[in-house]
Amino acid sequence: MIRNFARKSTLPLVALFTLALLAGCAGKQEETRYSPKELQRFEASAELKRDWRQRAGRGLGRAAYPISPALDGETIFAADERGRVMAFAADSGQQRWQTDLDVGVSSGLSAVAGHVYLGTRNGEVLALNQANGDIAWRARVSSEVLAPPQPSQQLLVVQSVDGTVTALDRQSGQERWVYSASQPSLTLRGTGTPTVIDPVTFAGFANGRLVTLDNRNGQPLWERRIAVSQGRSEIERMVDLSGQPVLTPDGRLFVTSYNGRLAALDAASGDVLWQRELSSHLTPVLVGDRLLTVNEMSHVLAFDAHSGEELWRNRDLQNRQLTAPAFADGNLVVGDFEGYLHLIDIQSGRFTARTRVDSSGISVRPLTDYRRIYVLANDGRLEALDIRR
């Protein structure tokens, strides 16, 4: 399976063709190893019923920008890579407004307290008014933004592809502080998404390090190496922390890394509570005392969040390029490269329901609201589905 990589911002085309040739020459054994598994029938215990469908622009584009939608209250916001931003009523799908920006969108969206925040390919961050889509402010950061901007009460924290974290004033867009981390020559295409609370920001980087930043001035409070670069090739040595750290109310922090580990840390000190060998570039989800994640091979795994013990593993979606998982009504929700949406019971790891949303594929994490799931397909189709039992 070939991942999207970037050398600084983009891997040269020659390297992409070389990777493709190597994959093609690997023989039948490698084809079997990296080929996506065919879907098998199962006895469904639930049904996914489409409630409404809309077109949210032209989709993610050829570069498959991670333009995930956002839900705030009764409105869902979505955008496409050409810069069209749209708002829909979450209950009916009725379009509320549309704004065509003068620049292409590249990041996921965040929506909170009357604004929609997004990043662009040319290194801008925009705040739009949730009521009508008008631009409230725009600010410049160091480079292209792929991770959705993350708000606290006062700040909007933005992580750029060059390893820079910039804190902007949430109301005005004025720069408050900047932190920069060293980047390896070859990285995954994408960046970690910071986790922000009022006192601090937790940010993971392509060098395998997790840093806690003081939101008053951007100074690091502690830093931990989550993954150690190993292997002969540059690809084997990649240790990107491309997911978002998951913070619990009792002060635990869960982090995944590519070619590295799944780790639980004490958020105040950075001390490691437990760790397991696991390669993943996706954000896990915590449900009660279960930590659920998807690894590099698209195996779906459940761990005991307190001890790190593996509780179950579902290999039936191997190499189907799953999205980061979401949670709805007792189920883990993931999409795949062929546009199927899968529901997996979090207690047993067995499938409960499946439906095909769109043949263009699903690559951004579904949004969920108890029994309702909102899915954006790669071509811009936006669907709301309800879980029926």
Side-chain angles (χ1 to χ4, degrees), residues 81-376:
E81 57 95 16
R82 297 192 177 189
R84 176 165 291 180
V85 187
M86 306 176 77
F88 303 94
D91 60 347
S92 66
Q94 181 180 2
Q95 182 178 324
R96 291 181 168 169
W97 53 256
Q98 173 183 309
T99 295
D100 291 312
L101 304 175
D102 58 359
V103 62
V105 176
S106 55
S107 81
L109 278 56
S110 295
V112 64
H115 286 105
V116 181
Y117 302 102
L118 55 87
T120 71
R121 297 197 294 271
N122 67 357
E124 278 191 302
V125 179
L126 280 71
L128 307 183
N129 190 309
Q130 283 194 17
N132 53 25
D134 290 347
I135 297 175
W137 55 257
R138 58 201 308 166
R140 178 75 61 178
V141 293
S142 60
S143 65
E144 182 183 39
V145 181
L146 297 178
Q150 297 297 303
S152 68
Q153 289 202 17
Q154 302 295 327
L155 301 177
L156 187 72
V157 180
V158 183
Q159 189 159 346
S160 308
V161 298
D162 62 356
T164 299
V165 178
T166 305
L168 306 171
D169 184 278
R170 216 180 83 185
Q171 296 304 315
S172 67
Q174 183 178 358
E175 183 181 296
R176 298 280 288 271
W177 52 257
V178 175
Y179 173 88
S180 296
S182 62
Q183 291 280 88
S185 59
L186 187 68
T187 71
L188 292 175
R189 184 181 176 275
T191 60
T193 300
T195 293
V196 183
I197 56 177
D198 285 335
V200 297
T201 290
F202 303 97
F205 297 95
N207 59 15
R209 292 184 176 274
L210 180 72
V211 179
T212 298
L213 304 172
D214 188 330
N215 280 343
R216 294 172 297 183
N217 50 29
Q219 293 300 307
L221 299 175
W222 58 255
E223 180 177 331
R224 292 291 179 271
R225 182 177 290 280
I226 303 300
V228 178
S229 181
Q230 301 180 58
R232 295 182 178 181
S233 70
E234 285 188 275
I235 292 176
E236 290 175 325
R237 291 195 294 271
M238 290 193 301
V239 289
D240 298 52
L241 273 61
S242 293
Q244 183 176 28
V246 174
L247 180 66
T248 68
D250 63 357
R252 289 173 295 154
L253 200 63
F254 299 101
V255 187
T256 59
S257 58
Y258 189 76
N259 285 335
R261 298 177 292 179
L262 169 66
L265 301 93
D266 179 84
S269 65
D271 292 341
V272 176
L273 304 175
W274 56 260
Q275 55 191 358
R276 296 291 178 268
E277 292 297 318
L278 180 132
S279 177
S280 177
H281 64 285
L282 300 172
T283 302
V285 62
L286 182 68
V287 182
D289 59 358
R290 297 197 170 210
L291 185 69
L292 303 117
T293 191
V294 175
N295 73 8
E296 174 194 356
M297 299 290 289
S298 286
H299 296 172
V300 184
L301 301 95
F303 294 90
D304 183 294
H306 296 285
S307 66
E309 175 189 0
E310 184 178 316
L311 302 175
W312 54 257
R313 179 185 299 235
N314 185 319
R315 297 179 173 84
D316 292 338
L317 301 176
Q318 181 168 306
N319 294 330
R320 295 190 64 85
Q321 301 174 36
L322 299 184
T323 66
F327 174 75
D329 191 27
N331 296 280
L332 205 64
V333 184
V334 291
D336 74 16
F337 80 110
E338 288 188 318
Y340 287 95
L341 190 72
H342 309 270
L343 266 60
I344 301 172
D345 182 85
I346 66 165
Q347 298 299 323
S348 66
R350 298 187 182 95
F351 293 109
T352 59
R354 175 184 296 149
T355 191
R356 195 172 198 181
V357 173
D358 189 83
S359 60
S360 67
I362 304 168
S363 58
V364 296
R365 183 181 192 169
L367 287 174
T368 60
D369 182 12
Y370 189 53
R371 289 194 175 183
R372 172 157 284 200
I373 303 168
Y374 303 94
V375 185
L376 180 67

Side-chain angles (χ1 to χ4, degrees), residues 9-142:
S9 62
T10 307
L11 184 68
L13 289 176
V14 173
L16 285 174
F17 290 134
T18 302
L19 287 173
L21 285 171
L22 288 173
C25 296
K28 292 183 179 179
Q29 182 177 355
E30 291 299 305
E31 287 178 6
T32 301
R33 179 181 176 187
Y34 293 110
S35 297
K37 270 194 173 183
E38 295 292 331
L39 297 178
Q40 302 298 317
R41 294 181 180 273
F42 63 93
E43 185 175 346
S45 57
E47 179 186 7
L48 286 164
K49 182 74 172 178
R50 182 189 303 124
D51 188 41
W52 55 259
R53 175 190 292 174
Q54 274 283 14
R55 173 67 62 178
R58 294 179 176 265
L60 311 184
R62 291 186 178 181
Y65 286 101
I67 311 171
S68 53
L71 178 67
D72 189 26
E74 299 177 352
T75 307
I76 185 167
F77 304 91
D80 71 5
E81 57 95 16
R82 297 192 177 189
R84 176 165 291 180
V85 187
M86 306 176 77
F88 303 94
D91 60 347
S92 66
Q94 181 180 2
Q95 182 178 324
R96 291 181 168 169
W97 53 256
Q98 173 183 309
T99 295
D100 291 312
L101 304 175
D102 58 359
V103 62
V105 176
S106 55
S107 81
L109 278 56
S110 295
V112 64
H115 286 105
V116 181
Y117 302 102
L118 55 87
T120 71
R121 297 197 294 271
N122 67 357
E124 278 191 302
V125 179
L126 280 71
L128 307 183
N129 190 309
Q130 283 194 17
N132 53 25
D134 290 347
I135 297 175
W137 55 257
R138 58 201 308 166
R140 178 75 61 178
V141 293
S142 60

